[in-house]
């Protein structure tokens, strides 16, 4: 059973990360041209659509928290890695802006997504600008690890793009044409890659060698897969009041999320019903609320929810093994463990 103190520690780590990384993010975003700055400030929750100040939040800061926690676990100076942590968070938000456009998601963090407010073009360009800002932060960072960090982050972005491309391609294939193995590979590229990169950047800024850096990358990737599995569960059964997203939106869009594919490949009667619902000839927007609820029941009945939760626990175990190889001292690894535990126990 999860120790509640682990989740409290994770919350404290993320809050402390926001406090030191947000000023760096704001400084970077303030350098953007006006039109893109406005979209970015709205996306991060710091301004309303009309440009007036907002009291929103910029997300949980899991990825920058991993950067700083990795530095701390290896005995480095976290103050020297704030730019790297901000670069990772800018990269993450570049992907969110683009993903919302591609997925046509209409809500994020309890407010309309940027593309619904400013249009597709402005949201895409703002995302491009955030990616450029991330690279500039590292290019201008005098820390000796910055060049290697910039190269690693650039390689990660390529992997993210490949994963997103594969994910989009899955949506054009029939329910019986998608395998669980390829969905897991896609999830690692889409989600695991950036969490792994965050941990690896922390290792680089702490002066770690190749073996430790790769082990921390592996830790982040496995934790990232656990994160994606739980995120997919929340995407189907999460409470909109907590998630800030429409309930069942992934099902309404007939996304091949991991619980759905696990259910489709279960060989159960519920799987056949789910395949029928997912093979519906209408457009995604034509699925009614009753159909969404029936689809969610079919996914659960076919074992998709249980499989996702069990597989998330398995990936968490693998993450812990990777971490033990890089940071043998449990006390030193405590922050990273708390963050990994948080991603598999969160509800929104």
């Amino acid at each position: 059973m999860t120790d509640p103190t682990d989740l409290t520690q994770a919350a404290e780590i993320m809050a402390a990360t926001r406090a030191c990384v947000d000023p760096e993010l704001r400084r970077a975003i303030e350098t953007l041209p006006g039109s893109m700055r406005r979209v970015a400030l709205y996306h991060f929750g710091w301004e309303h659509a009309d440009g007036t100040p907002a009291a929103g939040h910029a997300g949980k800061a899991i990825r920058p928290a991993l950067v700083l926690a990795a530095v701390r676990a290896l005995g480095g100076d976290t103050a020297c890695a704030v730019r790297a942590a901000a670069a990772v968070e800018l990269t993450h938000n570049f992907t969110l802006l683009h993903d919302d456009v591609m997925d046509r998601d209409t809500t994020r963090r309890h407010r309309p997504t940027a593309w619904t407010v400013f249009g597709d073009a402005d949201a895409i360009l703002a995302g491009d600008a955030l990616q450029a800002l991330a690279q500039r932060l590292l290019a201008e960072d005098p820390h000796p690890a910055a060049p290697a960090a910039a190269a690693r982050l650039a390689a990660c972005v390529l992997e993210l793009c490949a994963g997103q491309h594969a994910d989009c391609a899955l949506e054009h294939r029939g329910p019986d044409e998608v395998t669980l193995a390829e969905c897991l590979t896609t999830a690692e590229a889409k989600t695991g890659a950036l969490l792994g990169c965050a941990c690896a950047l922390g290792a680089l800024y702490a002066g770690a060698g190749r073996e430790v850096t790769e082990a921390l990358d592996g830790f982040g990737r496995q934790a990232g897969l656990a994160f994606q599995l739980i995120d997919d569960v929340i995407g189907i059964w999460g409470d909109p009041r907590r998630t800030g997203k429409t309930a069942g939106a992934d099902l309404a869009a007939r996304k091949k999320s991991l619980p759905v594919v696990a259910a489709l490949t279960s060989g159960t009667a519920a799987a056949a019903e789910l395949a029928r619902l997912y093979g519906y000839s209408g457009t995604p927007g034509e699925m009614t609320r009753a159909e969404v609820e029936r689809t969610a029941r079919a996914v659960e009945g076919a074992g998709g929810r249980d499989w996702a939760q069990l597989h998330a626990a398995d990936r968490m175990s693998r993450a812990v093994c990777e971490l033990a190889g890089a940071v043998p001292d449990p006390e030193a690894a405590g922050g990273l463990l708390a963050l990994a535990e948080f991603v598999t126990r969160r509800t929104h």
Side-chain angles (χ1 to χ4, degrees), residues 31-128:
T31 68
L32 290 175
S35 58
M36 286 174 277
R37 182 171 66 247
R38 182 181 176 190
V39 178
L41 289 170
Y42 172 85
H43 169 76
F44 275 96
W46 296 327
E47 285 189 1
H48 295 295
D50 62 3
T52 57
H57 64 86
K60 300 178 186 67
I62 292 170
R63 291 155 190 84
L66 285 170
V67 176
L68 300 183
V71 174
R72 191 177 299 109
L74 296 171
D77 181 2
T78 57
C80 295
V82 171
R83 279 191 184 182
V88 169
E89 186 71 344
L90 287 168
T91 300
H92 172 54
N93 281 277
F94 133 69
T95 68
L96 295 182
L97 281 162
H98 284 198
D99 285 358
D100 285 344
V101 173
M102 286 183 275
D103 296 342
R104 311 315 284 172
D105 285 336
T106 57
T107 57
R108 180 175 293 282
R109 299 169 185 157
H110 303 279
R111 66 202 315 228
T113 46
W115 72 268
T116 67
V117 176
F118 301 99
D120 289 1
D122 281 5
I124 290 168
L125 289 169
D128 294 341

Side-chain angles (χ1 to χ4, degrees), residues 184-259:
L184 285 167
T185 299
T186 298
E188 180 177 349
K190 276 194 63 180
T191 306
L194 189 54
L195 270 71
C197 182
C199 295
L201 261 59
L204 290 172
Y205 272 73
R210 179 179 177 82
E211 187 174 340
V212 169
T213 300
E214 294 305 325
L216 278 178
D217 182 274
F219 160 76
R221 283 176 179 271
Q222 294 299 333
L225 269 173
F227 180 99
Q228 187 60 58
L229 285 155
I230 297 303
D231 197 61
D232 285 351
V233 169
I234 293 169
I236 298 173
W237 294 284
D239 183 348
R241 292 170 297 182
R242 294 177 63 82
T243 65
K245 298 181 180 180
T246 305
D250 287 357
L251 295 180
R254 294 174 182 78
K255 287 187 181 179
K256 310 293 195 310
S257 65
L258 288 163

Side-chain angles (χ1 to χ4, degrees), residues 301-328:
R305 186 174 190 170
D306 288 343
W307 176 89
Q309 291 171 329
L310 287 171
H311 203 71
D314 174 64
R315 292 292 177 168
M316 178 63 178
S317 295
R318 298 188 199 188
V320 170
C321 289
E322 292 277 9
L323 182 58
V327 189

